[in-house]
Amino acid sequence: MAVYSMTGYASGQAGGSASPTDNESRPVSTGRLGLEIRSVNSRFLDLTFKFPEELRPHEAAVRELLGDKLKRGKVEVRGTVESSAPGGLADPSSRLLQRLNALQDNVRAWLPGARELSVADVLRLASTESASGNDWGPVLLKLAGQVADDMVAARAREGARLAGMLAERVKALRGLAEQAAPLVPQLVEQQRNRFLDRWQEAMGLAGGATLPEAAQDRALSEATAFAIRIDVAEELNRLVAHLDEIERLIQKGGEIGKRLDFLIQELHREANTLGSKSATLELSRIGVDMKVLIEQMREQVQNIE
């Protein structure tokens, strides 16, 4: 299964359904439908519609259709209806002109001060009449399905790119973990010996004198405890285990964004612990490099569905 991004864009257009002819046997303009879908990242699926009045009755059906195809993201759906008449203007029929004229006479009979309809008013009303005469439901749902499929394909392409970037950073983190692993036993033994040397100096012994047995045991216990505190082998093992799980999820695909986000938090925790325990510049550098890579992964994971 593919990895999907929550970022994408798709659009499409379709003609309206056939509408009745007027009394002069001229076809009434059916208009043209346009649909755009944009999406960005979000914790949940958040659908927003910007439809003209003639498309709003079909919003619920489009919402259900998109809900079956998209699982997460802030999605904006914009629909437009344009007249298909030459120049984008509907051709008013004689029947419509007669009706407008009668309505105007009735209004002015009651409101003598009302202004007369202008040519622009008639053309606007004709366009509204033409658009409202269409049954947009079947056309809209078919177009929404096509545009939604294009959106899914676009999100899959972006998801493949994100998966590739994550895989590269997982590989880089493995390399850093491999660099750090041999340093751990050396560091523990080095710090243990250093601690014992400083303990002897603190006791003020000189001239070949030896520590009392109790003091030696205490020094050894303190050195061992300190060595345990700076041992980062366990953190490295957990970090590698998290990397294994991230690779498995990328190969599996599907809705993996939330699980990846959790694993990135765990990676960050292990890298922080490694940095805080570090007793050498080399381990500190490795810890910083890990944090940089993990932060880059976190930014990319925010966009995965």
Side-chain angles (χ1 to χ4, degrees):
M1 188 178 295
V3 175
Y4 295 96
S5 170
M6 286 186 283
T7 303
Y9 172 83
S11 64
Q13 290 187 334
S17 60
S19 59
T21 58
D22 62 21
N23 56 6
E24 295 180 351
S25 299
R26 292 178 304 171
V28 177
S29 171
T30 60
R32 190 161 186 81
L33 174 65
L35 193 67
E36 289 184 351
I37 304 179
R38 307 170 184 266
S39 70
V40 295
N41 61 319
S42 177
R43 292 183 62 189
F44 308 101
L45 180 61
D46 181 9
L47 293 170
T48 303
F49 289 83
K50 295 185 178 180
F51 277 179
E53 290 294 335
E54 53 266 36
L55 299 183
R56 286 185 181 177
H58 311 292
E59 180 179 313
V62 177
R63 182 182 296 273
E64 181 179 358
L65 184 150
L66 294 178
D68 292 337
K69 295 179 179 292
L70 308 175
K71 303 305 179 184
R72 290 179 63 197
K74 184 175 179 60
V75 182
E76 178 184 295
V77 185
R78 184 185 297 270
T80 58
V81 176
E82 299 178 355
S83 172
S84 60
L89 299 176
D91 186 7
S93 65
S94 298
R95 182 176 55 184
L96 176 61
L97 292 174
Q98 292 172 0
R99 189 171 62 176
L100 290 176
N101 187 54
L103 290 173
Q104 177 177 244
D105 291 342
N106 289 337
V107 170
R108 298 195 68 192
W110 288 94
L111 300 172
R115 69 176 181 84
E116 295 184 353
L117 289 171
S118 65
V119 174
D121 294 334
V122 172
L123 292 176
R124 176 175 55 81
L125 292 171
S127 297
T128 303
E129 175 81 4
S130 174
S132 62
N134 286 319
D135 179 13
W136 290 109
V139 178
L140 176 60
L141 289 179
K142 181 179 179 181
L143 179 61
Q146 295 172 354
V147 177
D149 288 341
D150 291 343
M151 166 65 77
V152 171
R155 287 166 59 134
R157 290 191 297 271
E158 177 66 12
R161 187 183 68 83
L162 294 177
M165 295 176 66
L166 288 176
E168 291 177 0
R169 282 152 181 77
V170 166
K171 182 178 179 181
L173 283 170
R174 286 190 185 278
L176 290 174
E178 291 173 358
Q179 293 178 30
L183 299 176
V184 175
Q186 301 174 13
L187 174 62
V188 170
E189 183 63 24
Q190 177 183 349
Q191 292 299 323
R192 182 175 179 274
N193 293 333
R194 185 180 300 173
F195 189 87
L196 288 172
D197 292 341
R198 290 182 178 178
W199 182 274
Q200 291 178 347
E201 293 175 3
M203 294 292 292
L205 299 177
T210 59
L211 284 170
E213 185 175 351
Q216 288 180 344
D217 291 342
R218 176 66 184 276
L220 184 60
S221 298
E222 292 291 337
T224 302
F226 182 74
I228 292 174
R229 287 197 298 271
I230 65 172
D231 189 354
V232 295
E234 186 176 350
E235 284 74 15
L236 289 175
N237 289 336
R238 286 198 297 265
L239 186 142
V240 171
H242 296 328
L243 294 177
D244 291 341
E245 180 64 10
I246 289 174
E247 285 188 330
R248 187 189 71 81
L249 289 175
I250 292 175
Q251 292 175 0
K252 175 185 175 184
E255 300 173 45
I256 60 174
K258 291 183 179 180
R259 297 190 65 181
L260 285 176
D261 188 52
F262 171 76
L263 289 170
I264 295 300
Q265 294 178 30
E266 294 300 307
L267 284 178
H268 203 276
R269 182 179 293 111
E270 304 302 341
N272 276 337
T273 304
L274 187 147
S276 64
K277 285 186 174 184
S278 175
T280 65
L281 289 176
E282 182 65 15
L283 271 180
S284 297
R285 180 193 65 79
I286 291 175
V288 170
D289 290 345
M290 282 183 172
K291 289 180 182 180
V292 171
L293 291 171
I294 293 169
E295 181 61 24
Q296 292 174 352
M297 294 174 68
R298 186 191 67 80
E299 293 176 358
Q300 302 303 327
V301 165
Q302 298 302 312
N303 290 322
I304 293 181
E305 186 174 72

mmCIF file of all heavy atoms in Angstrom, residues 213-231:
data_model
loop_
_atom_site.group_PDB
_atom_site.id
_atom_site.type_symbol
_atom_site.label_atom_id
_atom_site.label_comp_id
_atom_site.label_asym_id
_atom_site.label_seq_id
_atom_site.Cartn_x
_atom_site.Cartn_y
_atom_site.Cartn_z
ATOM 1 N N GLU A 213 40.662 -1.626 52.410
ATOM 2 C CA GLU A 213 39.793 -2.483 51.622
ATOM 3 C C GLU A 213 38.390 -1.892 51.490
ATOM 4 O O GLU A 213 37.796 -1.916 50.402
ATOM 5 C CB GLU A 213 39.714 -3.867 52.267
ATOM 6 C CG GLU A 213 38.913 -4.860 51.438
ATOM 7 C CD GLU A 213 38.945 -6.247 52.046
ATOM 8 O OE1 GLU A 213 39.725 -6.451 52.993
ATOM 9 O OE2 GLU A 213 38.198 -7.111 51.536
ATOM 10 N N ALA A 214 37.842 -1.334 52.573
ATOM 11 C CA ALA A 214 36.500 -0.729 52.527
ATOM 12 C C ALA A 214 36.473 0.447 51.566
ATOM 13 O O ALA A 214 35.508 0.649 50.818
ATOM 14 C CB ALA A 214 36.076 -0.294 53.926
ATOM 15 N N ALA A 215 37.547 1.240 51.589
ATOM 16 C CA ALA A 215 37.605 2.401 50.697
ATOM 17 C C ALA A 215 37.710 1.954 49.239
ATOM 18 O O ALA A 215 37.120 2.558 48.336
ATOM 19 C CB ALA A 215 38.778 3.300 51.060
ATOM 20 N N GLN A 216 38.464 0.883 49.030
ATOM 21 C CA GLN A 216 38.584 0.376 47.669
ATOM 22 C C GLN A 216 37.229 -0.124 47.147
ATOM 23 O O GLN A 216 36.853 0.124 45.998
ATOM 24 C CB GLN A 216 39.612 -0.757 47.620
ATOM 25 C CG GLN A 216 41.052 -0.273 47.787
ATOM 26 C CD GLN A 216 42.046 -1.417 47.723
ATOM 27 O OE1 GLN A 216 41.669 -2.578 47.848
ATOM 28 N NE2 GLN A 216 43.317 -1.084 47.536
ATOM 29 N N ASP A 217 36.505 -0.847 48.001
ATOM 30 C CA ASP A 217 35.178 -1.320 47.602
ATOM 31 C C ASP A 217 34.255 -0.153 47.290
ATOM 32 O O ASP A 217 33.468 -0.187 46.337
ATOM 33 C CB ASP A 217 34.572 -2.185 48.711
ATOM 34 C CG ASP A 217 35.324 -3.509 48.866
ATOM 35 O OD1 ASP A 217 36.045 -3.872 47.920
ATOM 36 O OD2 ASP A 217 35.182 -4.144 49.928
ATOM 37 N N ARG A 218 34.332 0.892 48.129
ATOM 38 C CA ARG A 218 33.487 2.068 47.902
ATOM 39 C C ARG A 218 33.844 2.737 46.578
ATOM 40 O O ARG A 218 32.965 3.139 45.805
ATOM 41 C CB ARG A 218 33.665 3.056 49.049
ATOM 42 C CG ARG A 218 32.907 4.367 48.885
ATOM 43 C CD ARG A 218 31.411 4.184 48.917
ATOM 44 N NE ARG A 218 30.705 5.411 48.662
ATOM 45 C CZ ARG A 218 30.450 6.324 49.623
ATOM 46 N NH1 ARG A 218 30.858 6.110 50.878
ATOM 47 N NH2 ARG A 218 29.777 7.409 49.324
ATOM 48 N N ALA A 219 35.128 2.846 46.309
ATOM 49 C CA ALA A 219 35.567 3.465 45.060
ATOM 50 C C ALA A 219 35.083 2.664 43.859
ATOM 51 O O ALA A 219 34.625 3.221 42.852
ATOM 52 C CB ALA A 219 37.088 3.587 45.044
ATOM 53 N N LEU A 220 35.178 1.326 43.973
ATOM 54 C CA LEU A 220 34.738 0.482 42.868
ATOM 55 C C LEU A 220 33.240 0.605 42.641
ATOM 56 O O LEU A 220 32.765 0.671 41.496
ATOM 57 C CB LEU A 220 35.108 -0.970 43.154
ATOM 58 C CG LEU A 220 34.802 -1.983 42.041
ATOM 59 C CD1 LEU A 220 35.544 -1.611 40.770
ATOM 60 C CD2 LEU A 220 35.179 -3.396 42.490
ATOM 61 N N SER A 221 32.457 0.663 43.734
ATOM 62 C CA SER A 221 31.002 0.811 43.618
ATOM 63 C C SER A 221 30.630 2.129 42.966
ATOM 64 O O SER A 221 29.754 2.197 42.097
ATOM 65 C CB SER A 221 30.351 0.707 45.003
ATOM 66 O OG SER A 221 30.585 -0.570 45.568
ATOM 67 N N GLU A 222 31.308 3.199 43.380
ATOM 68 C CA GLU A 222 31.022 4.514 42.797
ATOM 69 C C GLU A 222 31.406 4.553 41.322
ATOM 70 O O GLU A 222 30.687 5.124 40.495
ATOM 71 C CB GLU A 222 31.786 5.604 43.568
ATOM 72 C CG GLU A 222 31.313 5.815 44.986
ATOM 73 C CD GLU A 222 29.931 6.426 45.019
ATOM 74 O OE1 GLU A 222 29.527 7.071 44.026
ATOM 75 O OE2 GLU A 222 29.231 6.257 46.048
ATOM 76 N N ALA A 223 32.511 3.945 40.992
ATOM 77 C CA ALA A 223 32.941 3.920 39.591
ATOM 78 C C ALA A 223 31.953 3.136 38.739
ATOM 79 O O ALA A 223 31.629 3.529 37.608
ATOM 80 C CB ALA A 223 34.341 3.313 39.488
ATOM 81 N N THR A 224 31.469 2.008 39.274
ATOM 82 C CA THR A 224 30.500 1.196 38.533
ATOM 83 C C THR A 224 29.193 1.949 38.331
ATOM 84 O O THR A 224 28.609 1.925 37.244
ATOM 85 C CB THR A 224 30.232 -0.112 39.286
ATOM 86 O OG1 THR A 224 31.473 -0.822 39.456
ATOM 87 C CG2 THR A 224 29.247 -0.981 38.525
ATOM 88 N N ALA A 225 28.723 2.621 39.386
ATOM 89 C CA ALA A 225 27.476 3.396 39.279
ATOM 90 C C ALA A 225 27.620 4.505 38.255
ATOM 91 O O ALA A 225 26.703 4.775 37.457
ATOM 92 C CB ALA A 225 27.103 3.972 40.644
ATOM 93 N N PHE A 226 28.774 5.165 38.252
ATOM 94 C CA PHE A 226 28.988 6.240 37.286
ATOM 95 C C PHE A 226 29.030 5.688 35.869
ATOM 96 O O PHE A 226 28.492 6.285 34.928
ATOM 97 C CB PHE A 226 30.289 6.965 37.616
ATOM 98 C CG PHE A 226 30.579 8.123 36.702
ATOM 99 C CD1 PHE A 226 29.881 9.308 36.811
ATOM 100 C CD2 PHE A 226 31.551 8.014 35.711
ATOM 101 C CE1 PHE A 226 30.138 10.374 35.971
ATOM 102 C CE2 PHE A 226 31.816 9.072 34.865
ATOM 103 C CZ PHE A 226 31.106 10.252 34.991
ATOM 104 N N ALA A 227 29.677 4.517 35.725
ATOM 105 C CA ALA A 227 29.742 3.899 34.398
ATOM 106 C C ALA A 227 28.360 3.554 33.879
ATOM 107 O O ALA A 227 28.061 3.705 32.689
ATOM 108 C CB ALA A 227 30.618 2.641 34.459
ATOM 109 N N ILE A 228 27.471 3.087 34.774
ATOM 110 C CA ILE A 228 26.101 2.768 34.378
ATOM 111 C C ILE A 228 25.365 4.023 33.925
ATOM 112 O O ILE A 228 24.609 4.008 32.943
ATOM 113 C CB ILE A 228 25.357 2.087 35.536
ATOM 114 C CG1 ILE A 228 25.965 0.698 35.792
ATOM 115 C CG2 ILE A 228 23.867 1.969 35.242
ATOM 116 C CD1 ILE A 228 25.400 0.000 37.008
ATOM 117 N N ARG A 229 25.615 5.128 34.623
ATOM 118 C CA ARG A 229 24.921 6.376 34.283
ATOM 119 C C ARG A 229 25.314 6.896 32.906
ATOM 120 O O ARG A 229 24.515 7.545 32.225
ATOM 121 C CB ARG A 229 25.196 7.443 35.341
ATOM 122 C CG ARG A 229 24.482 7.223 36.656
ATOM 123 C CD ARG A 229 24.452 8.493 37.488
ATOM 124 N NE ARG A 229 25.786 8.951 37.855
ATOM 125 C CZ ARG A 229 26.444 8.569 38.956
ATOM 126 N NH1 ARG A 229 25.882 7.693 39.782
ATOM 127 N NH2 ARG A 229 27.645 9.023 39.215
ATOM 128 N N ILE A 230 26.535 6.646 32.487
ATOM 129 C CA ILE A 230 26.978 7.177 31.194
ATOM 130 C C ILE A 230 26.877 6.139 30.078
ATOM 131 O O ILE A 230 27.193 6.434 28.927
ATOM 132 C CB ILE A 230 28.435 7.700 31.277
ATOM 133 C CG1 ILE A 230 29.395 6.543 31.551
ATOM 134 C CG2 ILE A 230 28.553 8.795 32.319
ATOM 135 C CD1 ILE A 230 30.860 6.951 31.457
ATOM 136 N N ASP A 231 26.447 4.924 30.396
ATOM 137 C CA ASP A 231 26.309 3.874 29.384
ATOM 138 C C ASP A 231 25.054 4.141 28.528
ATOM 139 O O ASP A 231 23.942 4.165 29.042
ATOM 140 C CB ASP A 231 26.203 2.515 30.071
ATOM 141 C CG ASP A 231 26.284 1.366 29.063
ATOM 142 O OD1 ASP A 231 26.311 1.641 27.849
ATOM 143 O OD2 ASP A 231 26.323 0.211 29.514
#
